[in-house]
């Protein structure tokens, strides 16, 4: 959208106002082309759907399928990926069913989980906790703390949190002494 000062009118060459009135979230132009220009756009598209879906907006399934066909998480740095995922997880009124399917279909956690079942479990845990900690912890269980901290670019506090979780994983969390030690 643009405003033509001389003609005193709004210029809408992409029919964005109609999409807004029809409550449709869509790409400008061809979705596949936009994703191939920058793969982060796929996640931003998903974030816009997550924000607007509770307000009655929809999306075109064909366009979402196009996004799934060309998106490749390997083209994103972890910083960009995790930043966008944090923004998505911060959405309070999000549709977790759509979000789960979106993450799985786009294979966002490809390379971090060993198989589809593990990926589904991690997605459920990530959405339930609104945190990437379950992803980091799952990766740690198949690797080691040093590699996990390096690959996932964890902060000291997140690295320490994973270390503490692993130390207490097999202990009886109904025991008051264990709980006090964990909290400390």
């Amino acid at each position: 959208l643009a405003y033509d000062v001389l003609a005193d009118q709004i210029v809408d060459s992409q029919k964005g106002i109609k999409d807004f009135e029809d409550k449709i979230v869509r790409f400008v132009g061809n979705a596949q082309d936009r994703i191939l220009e920058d793969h982060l756009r796929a996640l931003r598209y998903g974030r816009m759907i997550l924000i607007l879906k509770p307000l009655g907006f929809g999306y075109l399934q064909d366009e979402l399928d196009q996004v799934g066909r060309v998106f490749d998480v390997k083209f994103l740095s972890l910083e960009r990926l995790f930043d966008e995922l944090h923004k998505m997880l911060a959405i309070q009124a999000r549709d977790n069913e759509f979000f789960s399917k979106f993450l799985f279909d786009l294979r966002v956690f490809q390379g971090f989980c060993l198989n589809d079942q593990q990926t589904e479990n991690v997605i459920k845990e990530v959405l339930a906790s609104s945190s990437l900690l379950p992803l980091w912890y799952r990766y740690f269980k198949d690797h080691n703390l040093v590699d996990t901290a390096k690959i996932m670019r964890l902060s000291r506090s997140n690295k320490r949190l994973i270390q503490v979780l692993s130390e207490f994983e097999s202990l009886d969390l109904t025991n008051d002494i264990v709980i006090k030690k964990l909290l400390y």
Side-chain angles (χ1 to χ4, degrees):
L1 296 176
Y3 178 68
D4 183 344
V5 178
L6 298 176
D8 188 32
Q9 67 182 8
I10 293 176
V11 178
D12 182 12
S13 64
Q14 302 300 317
K15 299 180 180 43
I17 293 174
K18 180 166 178 9
D19 287 341
F20 187 77
E21 289 169 348
D22 293 343
K23 294 191 170 193
I24 295 291
V25 178
R26 76 165 85 213
F27 280 89
V28 173
N30 182 284
Q32 287 184 207
D33 294 342
R34 299 292 82 80
I35 300 305
L36 291 173
E37 291 169 355
D38 182 0
H39 286 259
L40 189 64
R41 289 180 179 156
L43 297 179
R44 289 183 176 151
Y45 173 68
R47 180 163 49 100
M48 288 303 107
I49 292 171
L50 286 172
I51 291 169
L52 295 172
K53 200 165 186 264
L55 302 174
F57 282 74
Y59 56 90
L60 304 174
Q61 186 61 49
D62 180 55
E63 192 169 71
L64 190 62
D65 293 342
Q66 288 179 37
V67 171
R69 281 193 293 274
V70 296
F71 175 77
D72 191 340
V73 73
K74 290 180 246 163
F75 287 103
L76 297 177
S77 69
L78 279 182
E79 290 85 3
R80 291 180 84 198
L81 172 64
F82 289 167
D83 181 55
E84 195 60 38
L85 289 173
H86 281 116
K87 289 176 185 177
M88 294 166 96
L89 290 169
I91 299 168
Q92 296 297 314
R94 66 177 184 252
D95 179 342
N96 276 344
E97 186 177 327
F98 168 80
F99 196 9
S100 176
K101 185 171 176 11
F102 181 76
L103 291 174
F104 188 82
D105 290 349
L106 262 59
R107 301 166 307 281
V108 172
F109 295 148
Q110 180 182 354
F112 302 119
C113 299
L114 299 177
N115 55 49
D116 285 350
Q117 185 59 53
Q118 200 177 81
T119 300
E120 286 179 6
N121 292 339
V122 166
I123 289 172
K124 285 178 190 171
E125 292 171 13
V126 163
L127 297 183
S129 67
S130 292
S131 165
L132 292 177
L133 182 61
L135 172 66
W136 300 332
Y137 192 67
R138 175 71 257 161
Y139 189 85
F140 159 75
K141 291 186 71 106
D142 296 325
H143 298 82
N144 60 55
L145 188 59
V146 173
D147 288 343
T148 301
K150 183 178 176 183
I151 298 293
M152 299 292 190
R153 295 183 178 93
L154 299 180
S155 65
R156 276 192 193 132
S157 61
N158 284 333
K159 181 180 172 182
R160 179 67 183 133
L161 184 55
I162 287 174
Q163 187 177 23
V164 168
L165 288 173
S166 69
E167 290 171 8
F168 284 84
E169 182 178 43
S170 61
L171 298 178
D172 177 15
L173 296 179
T174 61
N175 183 318
D176 288 346
I177 295 170
V178 172
I179 293 293
K180 286 178 185 177
K181 188 174 179 183
L182 174 63
L183 292 174
Y184 176 73

